[in-house]
């Protein structure tokens, strides 16, 4: 599916999807009605209405399997962002075990990482262009700073180990976030879904070719269902793209905690 569709506001996306579906249904309605006025009418009537339920069931299965993938990707994206934010919050909390310059340094690095992530990495993920080739400098420096600390009591030893673990967890969550940012329904699945919908619409038009009003109602009803299904999948297709994309809000919520008591 074309990338420009994913970036449209939801209202415009709905307009494009429903408009395109209704246009196809109208063309089929008019075309089959014109053909049924000729010698092909008897051939159309020979088509059994019993083929409509299997076509509808197959389309429904296509929608269900595709939607399951899309919602799973969205769930993984949300989980990765929440996990990353939780790890960074834990780092900020444990940094208070090293008062003074070490605490301020860790807080500053966490803030820097969040700012870089939300301002630079998020737009790249929206374009499915983010990669794992670049290690975030602030997070890497935070890990190096933590490992270089000299604990002066057992509590600081435990805190150092925990900060290291949470930073590693943040690295892993970031990796998962970037990987899922490139997830989307592949063109083959879209092609099969749209082709199946077209076949069902064509069959409906042919079966009802002797009654134009019945054909229009049946085509309009099924076309509405097709458009709604496609819109639902399309709106969630890319987890970090579009009006209802996964937000960096959980990370931004850590910023006030990272500022409190840390200074620059």
């Amino acid at each position: 599916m074309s990338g420009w569709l994913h970036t449209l506001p939801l209202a415009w996306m709905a307009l494009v999807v429903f408009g395109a579906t209704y246009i196809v249904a109208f063309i089929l309605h008019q075309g089959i009605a014109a053909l049924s006025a000729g010698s092909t009418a008897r051939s159309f009537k020979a088509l059994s209405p019993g083929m409509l339920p299997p076509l509808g069931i197959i389309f429904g299965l296509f929608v269900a399997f595709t939607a399951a993938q899309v919602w799973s990707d969205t769930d993984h994206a949300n989980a990765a962002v929440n996990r990353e934010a939780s790890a960074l919050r834990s780092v900020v909390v444990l940094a208070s075990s090293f008062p003074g310059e070490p605490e301020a340094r860790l807080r500053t690095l966490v803030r820097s990482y969040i700012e870089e992530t939300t301002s630079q990495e998020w737009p790249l993920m929206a374009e499915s262009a983010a990669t794992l080739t670049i290690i975030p400098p602030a997070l890497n420096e935070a890990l190096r700073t933590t490992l270089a600390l000299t604990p002066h009591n057992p509590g600081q030893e435990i805190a150092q180990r925990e900060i290291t673990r949470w930073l590693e967890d943040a690295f892993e969550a970031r990796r998962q976030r970037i990987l899922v940012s490139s997830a989307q329904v592949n063109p083959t699945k879209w092609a099969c879904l749209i082709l199946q919908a077209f076949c069902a619409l064509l069959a409906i038009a042919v079966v009802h070719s002797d009654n134009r009003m019945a054909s229009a109602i049946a085509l309009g009803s099924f076309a509405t269902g097709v458009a709604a299904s496609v819109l639902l999948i399309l709106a969630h297709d890319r987890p970090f793209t579009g009006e209802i994309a996964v937000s960096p809000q959980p990370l931004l919520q850590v910023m006030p905690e990272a500022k409190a008591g840390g200074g620059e």
Side-chain angles (χ1 to χ4, degrees):
M1 189 66 68
S2 179
W4 66 271
L5 270 174
H6 294 89
T7 60
L8 288 176
L10 195 57
W12 282 103
M13 186 185 295
L15 183 63
V16 171
V17 171
F18 275 85
T21 307
Y22 287 145
I23 288 173
V24 171
F26 177 77
I27 292 173
L28 284 174
H29 177 260
Q30 294 297 107
I32 296 300
L35 291 174
S36 65
S39 59
T40 57
R42 181 174 299 178
S43 299
F44 286 169
K45 291 306 296 177
L47 189 66
S48 171
M51 71 178 297
L52 296 182
L55 286 172
I57 291 172
I58 294 173
F59 175 74
L61 289 174
F62 280 2
V63 170
F65 288 136
T66 306
Q69 173 202 324
V70 168
W71 290 330
S72 176
D73 291 338
T74 301
D75 287 342
H76 289 157
N78 278 306
V81 174
N82 290 330
R83 178 184 174 188
E84 188 176 11
S86 178
L88 294 174
R89 181 176 287 108
S90 297
V91 170
V92 169
V93 171
L94 291 169
S96 60
S97 300
F98 298 90
E101 197 278 333
E103 178 186 5
R105 178 63 174 161
L106 285 174
R107 288 176 179 271
T108 299
L109 289 171
V110 169
R111 293 202 307 274
S112 177
Y113 170 71
I114 293 174
E115 290 169 354
E116 181 181 350
T117 297
T118 55
S119 64
Q120 298 180 28
E121 212 163 66
W122 230 263
L124 289 175
M125 291 193 302
E127 300 172 0
S128 299
T131 67
L132 294 170
T133 55
I134 299 177
I135 299 176
L139 203 59
N140 188 48
E141 182 61 27
L143 183 58
R144 293 176 58 184
T145 299
T146 301
L147 294 175
L149 293 174
T150 303
H152 297 293
N153 55 61
Q156 288 188 339
E157 291 179 2
I158 295 173
Q160 184 183 37
R161 287 197 300 268
E162 288 299 302
I163 292 174
T164 302
R165 181 173 70 84
W166 285 117
L167 286 172
E168 291 173 346
D169 200 50
F171 270 112
E172 177 59 22
R174 174 183 177 270
R175 187 182 75 86
Q176 293 295 331
R177 168 170 56 80
I178 290 179
L179 288 176
V180 79
S181 71
S182 60
Q184 61 179 316
V185 177
N186 65 57
T188 301
K189 289 182 180 179
W190 275 120
C192 291
L193 181 66
I194 293 172
L195 179 60
Q196 181 62 29
F198 179 82
C199 290
L201 288 169
L202 177 61
I204 290 171
V206 172
V207 167
H208 297 89
S209 59
D210 60 335
N211 188 324
R212 298 194 66 175
M213 179 60 70
S215 176
I217 294 173
L219 280 171
S221 300
F222 192 78
T224 300
V226 169
S229 300
V230 172
L231 177 62
L232 182 66
I233 296 172
L234 186 63
H236 295 84
D237 187 14
R238 297 182 182 178
F240 294 94
T241 306
E243 189 174 323
I244 55 177
V246 176
S247 166
Q249 191 60 34
L251 292 174
L252 294 174
Q253 290 173 355
V254 181
M255 289 289 283
E257 300 177 34
K259 290 178 180 178
E264 285 293 336

